[in-house]
Every structure is written in C-alpha cells, then in structure tokens.
Amino acid sequence: MAKRGDVVIDIEKCKGCEVCISACPQNVLAVASEVNNKGYHYAVKVNEGCTGCANCAIVCPDAVITVYREK
Amino acid sequence: MKELRLMKGNEALAEAAIRAGADAYFGYPITPQSEVIEYLMANKPEERTGMVVLQAESEVAAINMVYGAAGCGKKALTSSSSPGMSLKQEGISYIAGAELPCVLVNVVRGGPGLGTIQPSQSDYFQSVKGGGHGDYKLIVLAPSSVQESVDYVKLAFELAFKYRTPVMIQSDGIIGQMMEKVELFEQMPRVEPDYEWATIGRKEGKPSTFVTSLQLQAEEQEKVNLRLQAKYREIEKNEVLFESHYCEDADYLLTAFGSCARITRKAMEMARAKGIKVGLLRPQTLYPFPTEEFNRLAGQVKGILCVEMNAGQMVEDVRLSVNGKTKVEHFGRFGGMIPNPDEILNALEQKIIGG
Amino acid sequence: MSENLIKPENLVYKKTDVMTDRILHYCPGCAHGTAHRLLAEVIDEMGIQNETIGVAPVGCSVLAYYYFNVDMQEAAHGRAPAVATGIKRVFPEKFVFTYQGDGDLAAIGTAETIHAINRGENILVVFINNGIYGMTGGQMAPTTLQGMKSSTSPFGRDVKTMGSPLKITELIAQLPGAYFVTRQAVHKPANVRKAKKAIKKAMEYQKLNKGTCFVEIVANCPSNWKMTPVQSNQWMEENMFPFYPLGDIKVPEEN
Amino acid sequence: MTEEIIIAGFGGQGVLSMGQILCYSGVMQNKEVSWMPSYGPEMRGGTANCTAIISDEQISSPVLNTFDTAIVLNQPSMDKFEDAVKPGGLLIYERNGMTRKPRRTDINICAIDAYDASVKMNNTKVFNMIVIGGFLKIRPIIDMENVIKGLQKVLPERYHHLIPLNEEAINKGMEIITVEHKLN
C-alpha cells in the first residue's frame, strides 16, 4: 500500500498552468474556480489519494508546491 | 633602482599592465597594436604574476571577457585599434552602464571604415563623447610618449577603480610603434578583490550580488543616469590633467594631444626661434577636458590653433571652452598623414597671426 | 486526515533556497522556471551556492539573476560565453554557468558559443531551445522548425529563403573542447529527473577541468506558440522532439 | 647635439635593428633617443625604414620630414630620401645594387661597400653593423664602448658571444667608408 502524502500549494504564486494536474498519477489536483490576486485559477487539491510522489512539484515551473509524505 | 629600457610604446604599455598588477588581458590582433598581445604572450605574465592573457575570437568577445573579469572585481584590460574599437563599443556601453572598472587601449589608425594602418587621431569623438549607446563617458588619457604609455596604465587602473568606470588610453600608431627610453615602475602585487559590487561568490547570510546594466523601469534608469552624471561631475572636478609649455607670456596658443603634440611642440620651438611668443597647451586627459585652463588662457592670447591628426574634433571642445573669447582655428592632416612642424607653423601664421 | 502529515519531518519536496522568493516573470507553464529550479537544486545539493557565478543572457531569461540566489552577471545579447570566459579565467576555482536561449546562443552569439566551447572553457552552458524569440514577441529563431509559424515567418519557415533550423547542439558536440553534450526536456516528471541528473553531472564534471558541458533543454513557449501550457508540451513532443531528439550526444569516454 | 637619422633599405638588411642599436647605444651614453619604424604593408612589400633621433635634449617630434643623415641601402631608398637630407647634412649609401649615384651637391656624401665586406667576413648578417661603423666614423656621436653596451642590451643573452664579431664589423665599417663629396 502506497504511503500517504500531501501537498501545500502557494496559491498566490501559482499561475494556473495546469502542468502539475497532468503530471499527477492520482488525479488529486484540479484548477480552482476562484482566482488569486494575479487573476489565475490556481491549482488545488480536490481528491484524496496523494502519495507524496512529488511529480507535481518537480514539474511546477514556479516552484509553488511543497510535498509531504508520511515516514 | 630605476629600470631604464628602450621600448616600443605598445610593448611598454603591455609591460606596464603586468607591473600594474593586472589580472587579465583579453584582446584580438589588429595593426598597429598587435605588439601589446604579442608582448604579453611572449613574456609569460601567467608565470610572473598569475595574470591571464587570452586571444579572443573577436574584439566583441574580448570586451565581453573584460566585462566578465571586471564584474569579478579583477583588474582587466583590452587593447585594439580603431575598427576593433568600434566593435567593442557595445561592450563598453554595458561596462559603463554596469559601472565596472576596466582599462581600454585604442592605438588609433586612420578611418573611416577599414581606413589605413597609419597613425591618426580620428577617434577623438568616439572616445570622448561616449562611443556606444546611452549617456556615458569614458575617462580618456592621451599619452604623448612611451613613458606616458607606461605611467598612464597605472593611472588608468587607479581611476577606473576609484570611479568604477572604464578608462581609455588613447594612443596612436606613432606612440605605439615608436621606441623611446622608458623608466618602468616596480611590480605591483595583484590584489584579491573584495568589493561588495563584484561577483566574487555569494557571502554566507548575505543576498547574492548581480552585475547588470538593465533597468526595467524608466524611473530606475533615470536614477542610474543621475548617479553616472554625478560621477562625471566629480571626475571633471578632480581629474583634469594637462601640460603647458611657454604659456605664461604667450600671445598665441597652440594645442594638440598625443603624438601630434610632440610635432606641434617642435613647431612652437621654431616659432619661438622666430620671436613669436607661442605657447602649447597639451590636454593629457581628453575627458575630463581642461576647459577652465583653455578659458583662462583665452583671455590672454590672440588666438588658438588646434592641431590634430583628424578633420577637426578636439577643436570643438576648445571652442566650447573659450566660449567665443578668442579665435580658435583647426589645422589637421588625416587619413594616416602626419603633419610636419613647418606646416603647423605656417598654419599658425596664416590662420591665427595673419588671419 | 492529511493535515497531520504537514510536518517538517515528513517534508519530501520544497523549493530550494538557491532560488529567491521573487515571483518569476515567466508566462504560465513556461519551462524556464523548471529549468531554473533544477539548476538551483543542483547548486544546493552540491553545496556550491557561494562558489557559483552565473551569467544571464538577453531574452526571456534576462532577469535570471533575480531568481538565482547566487552571484550573477547580465551579459549583452549573445555574449554570455565570452563573459563566462572572463569570469572563469580569473576565478578558475569557481563554478561558472551561462543560461541562454536559442536566439542568444545560436544566432547572435554563435561565434562566442562555438569559440568558448572550442577553447574548452570549463563552464556549464544551459541552452533553452523553444524554437522562437520569446521576449520580443515570437519572431523566428535559428531553431524554428521548418514550416513553423512565427511573427517573422507568418506563413511558416520556408527553408529556401530562411535557412534550415540549426541543430547547434550536434554541431557543438563535434568540438574537441566539448566534454559532455546532452539534450533534455523538463515537461514531465521523468524528463525533469533526467534533466536534473544531466545538469548535476555537468556541474560535477566542471571540477575535472576537462572542457565545456552543454545541456540543451528543449522547451515550450505557450504564449508565442499560442497554446495552453499542456497543449504546448504535447506539441513539443510531437513536433520538436522528432527534429531535436532527446538524449546524450557526447559523453565522456571513461563513463 | 641632435642627430636626426633616416635608415632605409630592403627588409632583411637589418634596417630596423640598426636604428635600435644606435638608439640603445645613445641611451648608454645618456642621450635622449627616439626610434620610429615604418610599418605595415610597406614593410611587407620588402622595403623598410626607420627614423632614429639621438639628442642631448628632450626630443619633440619623433616623426620627421628632413634629416641630418640619411643611410640608404637600396635604390628606392636613395630615390625617396636623397632629397630629405637637410642642406649640409650627410648621405651614406651602400654601393652594391645602386644604379645611380647621388645628385645632391649641397650635402656630404659617403659610400660604403658593406655588403662586399660582409661577404669577405663570411657573415652577411653583420652587414648592418659594418654600416653603423661607417656612420660612426663620419659622425662620432657615440663611443664604441657604449655601442657595445647597447648591443649587450639589444641582443638576447644567447647571442652575446657574437659581440666581438659585431665589434670587428663596426671597425671594418670605419675602415672602408669613403668620402665621395665633402662640403667645405
């Protein structure tokens, strides 16, 4: 069974490019219906199932995602 | 003990660069300055002081290598001749904009275009008025002997670091190619840079340093320009150098710079022998220009003849300096032709005394 | 349930401190940010933040020095390899890199690029190839693909009059001064991992003083390609990769 | 004392080094000196010349149009510089290969068979030293000991064993120079 993980997204820095969403094998990410101060529909975690694989973070061009995973 | 040698201007300048503790030279061959890099390559400064010498693939690359080394706070220089200096202008503008210290040597030859390889002073405007794009100035030193070619290298590095600005030594084919007796100063140590503006590697706990001439906001760029202008006013106040000969009782004034001043001095001696009271004012710094001294002498003399190996460039600064107080005329030979003292004396008699 | 996972001891990934906290000015989805981050992570992991000096180009990444928390110099267009040469020659013990786009490296700076590498300058060149001039608004680059539209080739690049796209990386690999030459991408997790490995290798090789390391990153330009970031990455795979195939082009013999 | 000299000839005759040796010798004798070569395509075309000035006073112009002495070693140089000798000045020419004699009557004229002498010495490389000897015979502006000191400065250490040979050549030049026309 995969370990459990979680992500923290710095929504003010997110530009809503969605590259993380397509990189996530667990489909836990989506775009928010709200916009941030810059007017971007930022990425949010919408589903459980994150394994802390960090794929989202390593493809994020703006380094807005921090990843945690249970030890 | 002072060390006397008979050396070519270009070679002496190269030796002076090693002795001034320069860290790096980047250049590209072009007549009549190639002896600078040839001398450096032959004299192994890497072994003597650790100074780096590199033949770049172009003048453009050479000046940008200077930028890189200067950005590290190192003492870097390059040399070229007129067409090569035109190529370097882009880099010089960036260096001026990024406020980096470096030394540039232009052994001027005739132009425009490929021109000729013979001596000329036709790059005065380019050197003194900026040369590249944007509002900036270079300190410009004009040696008129091999000895000054040596001494000005040391001075140029001092001024470059004092003001964080590029300093040009404007030599020419005569000064570069001639041999004279020269006294060399003793080897100075190379210094490990520790300037807050230089990229020497980030210091722990401090923000990193960057060297740039880019400002995205006009307001910020104007601040940079104001700072540069303030620096130029300081330079104008502190660094003017000139040499005067027989100006005290002069009725007429000759003025010339660099090698041309040597020839003009001969004309002055000939005029004095004929009983004409002529003086010679030789600007040693072309920027900052000895404006006040010209203005002062303009109240005393009946006219000024500006002798140049160009079609009339420094004469404009002389006219601005005297501001109409006295007559100012130009006599020039150009395209690599060198005026002779008889011609100069004749021009003085025709254009100033009789004119 | 996941709340309790967010604890320092569970941290597996966060932005490196070798990147500053400034918001990148790049467009959404632009590969520049990822490429910056990989380079910064390598510098971080190698512990060479205070021994690294970078050179920024002219192009979209002209402000790279705002984002790297290492000392940097901003070079004139195309001149980064010459500037880096000046730095490396006076500081041979420092780690020096240039970061250049295709216009900077493969058009105006071709001479500086080829000669610095031919001299085997011990620097890392990171080359971002997105086949277009980004900063000035999508003009044709030396690497623009045949038939590809840009604002200066609005009907597609016609090789008869505009020349063929330049595979400068293959060209550079021919030079004896080039020690390690590779082409990577950063659009997918697997590519990111490979690209980072390549950059790390290159930085480690710099210690050996064996020559220039050259890492090309085939990149997207969603804004000027007029696509969404995700579409642009797909277009890149379908169109750029066949002409600019990923993988090592020149590797040191002993490895 | 100021002596303004032009030395002109073919490339390979040692024209430029002749001027340098004179200048270095001048330095050894505490004189002010200046040496200025012609450079560039002219040099590559096979002819070379240099101006050497030796003076007790500071030298103003290093570039001159007229000279106290012209040393011409081939016909083109004779054609170019005969008229540049100041009235009352000195023209020294190498006879070998000259197709005409000097025409001036208002200057001193000397001739030297330096090339033949160098062949007889089995060393054509000392040709220029023979010419220097001839010049110093007519214009003894520098003492022999200072010429030797000058040579020591100009020649790299590994050639210092050749200095006696050069001294011999200078003496030979002093011996063989002939005065063709002397002003009263």
Side-chain angles (χ1 to χ4, degrees), chain B residues 131-188:
Chain B
H133 60 282
D135 268 325
Y136 73 93
K137 294 274 195 181
L138 308 175
I139 296 177
V140 184
L141 306 171
S144 80
S145 64
V146 175
Q147 186 64 54
E148 281 185 342
S149 300
V150 165
D151 298 341
Y152 286 1
V153 171
K154 195 172 162 187
L155 175 64
F157 274 121
E158 283 164 13
L159 293 172
F161 277 81
K162 182 174 174 187
Y163 294 101
R164 271 176 63 192
T165 190
V167 177
M168 177 175 285
I169 297 174
Q170 180 162 307
S171 176
D172 62 48
I174 295 177
I175 303 295
Q177 295 295 323
M178 74 188 290
M179 281 181 120
E180 284 189 311
K181 215 155 70 166
V182 60
E183 188 183 333
L184 297 166
F185 54 86
E186 283 189 12
Q187 179 65 50
M188 294 162 67

Side-chain angles (χ1 to χ4, degrees), chain A residues 8-67:
Chain A
V8 175
I9 298 169
D10 184 344
I11 58 170
E12 285 311 325
K13 282 189 177 173
C14 177
K15 293 174 184 159
C17 73
E18 304 181 27
V19 173
C20 57
I21 296 171
S22 54
C24 175
Q26 308 297 325
N27 295 316
V28 303
L29 300 171
V31 280
S33 49
E34 300 81 30
V35 293
N36 63 14
N37 281 334
K38 296 232 173 204
Y40 293 118
H41 292 278
Y42 50 86
V44 285
K45 189 172 158 225
V46 291
N47 294 318
E48 293 306 318
C50 174
T51 62
C53 72
N55 276 359
C56 56
I58 68 170
V59 295
C60 173
D62 293 283
V64 305
I65 307 175
T66 308
V67 184

Side-chain angles (χ1 to χ4, degrees), chain C residues 3 8 17 52 57-58 60 83 100 138 146 183 188 198-199 230-231 249:
Chain C
E3 283 297 304
D17 291 337
T52 300
V58 169
C60 281
V83 172
Q100 303 173 259
Q146 182 173 352
R183 182 183 284 126
K188 285 189 170 165
I199 292 171
V230 174
Q231 281 169 343
I249 298 169

